[in-house]
Amino acid sequence: MAAFILETEAVEYVYPDGTQALRKIDMAVAKGQKVAILGSNGAGKSTLFLHLNGILRPAGGKIRYDGREVVYNAAGLRELRTRVGIVFQDPDSQLFSASVLQEISFGPLNLGLEKREVKERVLKAMSETEIEDLADKPTHMLSFGQKKRVAIADILAMMPEVIIFDEPTAWLDPRHAREFMQLLDHLAAAGRTIIISTHDVDIAYAWADNILIMNHGQIVASGVPTEVFRHPDSIIAADLALPWLVEMHGELMRRDWLRPDAPLPRSKEALFASLGGHDKGKITAGTTGTVLRVLP
Amino acid sequence: MFDLDTYAYTNRWIKIHPLEKFVFALATMLVCLISPSVVVVGAVLLLMTVASTKGAGTPVGQFFRFMMIPFSFILTGVLTIAFSVSHDPGGFLFGFTFGSITVGASQANLMKAGFIFFKSLGAVSCLYFLSLTTPVLEVISVLRKLKAPSLFLELMGLVYRFIFVLMDTTALIRMSQTSRLGYVSAKNTFRSLSQLISSLFVRSFHRAGELATALTARNYTGEIRTLEKEYPVSKRNYAVILGIELGLLLLNFT
């Protein structure tokens, strides 16, 4: 087995109108990793994703799946699309059927499976995304968050090894965004490789094993979250912000409120734990502004 | 129209096999259309009203409101049968004379028009029964079992799905236009409406492109195949339907 499940080598793409969408993209995703691709609007994230599933063919460079170069014929693309699934940003452009059951069964039926197995997969995908109760509801009566879950079940039923999510938390409120990220963790825990695109740096920072930062069709920085954000210049240049945890950590360091060897925290709990002083008990609801009280 | 869709998904007979409802509606419609007796037409109207309201659970008032929609169409249709043009003013129950021409209605024609009017209403009630008890996708699956061309059925399914997406988009554009005084005067209204229609057209193209991409990503190769819901087949229901239709046919001889 290859070290990386999905690799691109100097991938280039130019849209028919002459826009250079991708410039020499080199990326490598290890099996089972959680990868976040960060970039502002128009950085080329979606274009890159369409290459990883074989919808677009690179104008230059190579894409390898499991060590083997992607073959652009019917059988090769079928193989790639069976292993790499994409959940699109807007469920209304992905869901083609007015029936949730029919919608989810489309992908596995295209894999040439028997009806009985398709049915099993549909039920399993629905239970993993917790939408069993929507089976008899028509698509147009679902809420946005429910449609989004159906869109994921669409792909899960095909049982791909890699699942790509284009802007998974766009248009979701904080609670649904949090639940969504938990669902992604759950999917990753089952051994799948997950790639997401986002411009929410806080989500990417807290969630990902590996972060790629894209700007103007190039990858300008990559690495583990705690390393990537140590070089704010490339982040700012890519029209992104620093995660609040990183900024807070820097500021606390600058004021000597943290020990110099305190590690960069990945969650707010980790940040609070690294603070000195003593705990005066629970902060009650409505007084979140007094959080600074625990500082020395 | 959208109420109709909602009732179709929430009615009490949703679990009944769609083919049974389809056969019931179409067989009754056929009986209604071929029967020469007004008693049968009345019985069909009553039967379908009771089946849709008492049976499937559509509120009675709502059912009559639905029935009023084609009312005026049918009325204007039968007016041309009721009235005829003649040089001879005799034989008309009443009429209007213009010079040598008389436009009027004879008793026979009035009877004929009235009968056709009720017959049409009876046939419409059968279709309403089907629409109120069977969601569009189930009707499509029945048509698939009856070997209708699959291209036609795929189109039906996609059109049905995207009617709702298009309606949502329309509502959003309209709202944003209204918030910028797009509909305060007749002139503004015309301009806003034309822009609404043209941008809907452009967006539909975008949607179609995005949909094609998303389908391709799931190994679409030109044919949409999906699982269909399974319903228990009831021999008893078919027996009841047969009994009802025979009963209706026998009413012709009373």
Side-chain angles (χ1 to χ4, degrees), chain A residues 53 55 78 81-82 88 90 92-99 102-103 105 109-110 136 138 140 154, chain B residues 5 9 137 158 160-162 164 207 210-211 213-220 224-227 229-230:
Chain A
N53 172 273
I55 300 282
R78 201 184 134 89
R81 288 173 190 159
T82 305
F88 288 87
D90 182 0
D92 270 332
S93 22
Q94 184 184 325
L95 308 184
F96 72 89
S97 173
S99 145
Q102 294 195 359
E103 175 64 43
S105 66
L109 274 174
N110 284 340
D136 290 328
H140 51 265
D154 267 358
Chain B
D5 188 63
Y9 284 104
L137 283 186
L158 288 174
Y160 174 65
R161 162 83 182 102
F162 281 92
F164 296 95
R207 281 271 182 221
E210 286 171 355
L211 181 72
T213 304
L215 288 179
T216 311
R218 285 197 276 162
N219 270 328
Y220 170 70
I224 296 181
R225 283 172 308 146
T226 58
L227 280 190
K229 234 167 111 178
E230 282 155 24

Side-chain angles (χ1 to χ4, degrees), chain B residues 23-41:
Chain B
V23 167
F24 177 55
L26 287 206
T28 312
M29 187 158 100
L30 190 70
V31 169
C32 175
L33 290 177
I34 60 171
S35 291
S37 157
V38 73
V39 182
V40 177
V41 173

Side-chain angles (χ1 to χ4, degrees), chain B residues 22-77:
Chain B
F22 188 83
V23 167
F24 177 55
L26 287 206
T28 312
M29 187 158 100
L30 190 70
V31 169
C32 175
L33 290 177
I34 60 171
S35 291
S37 157
V38 73
V39 182
V40 177
V41 173
V44 166
L45 264 173
L46 188 70
L47 174 69
M48 284 307 174
T49 308
V50 171
S52 305
T53 55
K54 287 272 171 278
T58 311
V60 180
Q62 191 64 53
F63 186 78
F64 280 109
R65 234 165 287 146
F66 283 135
M67 288 295 285
M68 290 305 285
I69 298 172
F71 197 87
S72 52
F73 293 109
I74 302 176
L75 199 66
T76 45

Side-chain angles (χ1 to χ4, degrees), chain B residues 199-242:
Chain B
S199 71
L200 274 182
F201 192 68
V202 173
R203 284 205 201 182
S204 304
F205 267 100
H206 274 293
R207 281 271 182 221
E210 286 171 355
L211 181 72
T213 304
L215 288 179
T216 311
R218 285 197 276 162
N219 270 328
Y220 170 70
T221 47
E223 190 196 359
I224 296 181
R225 283 172 308 146
T226 58
L227 280 190
E228 308 217 320
K229 234 167 111 178
E230 282 155 24
Y231 293 87
V233 179
S234 158
K235 284 195 181 132
R236 200 187 122 254
N237 282 353
Y238 281 112
V240 170
I241 293 168
L242 190 68

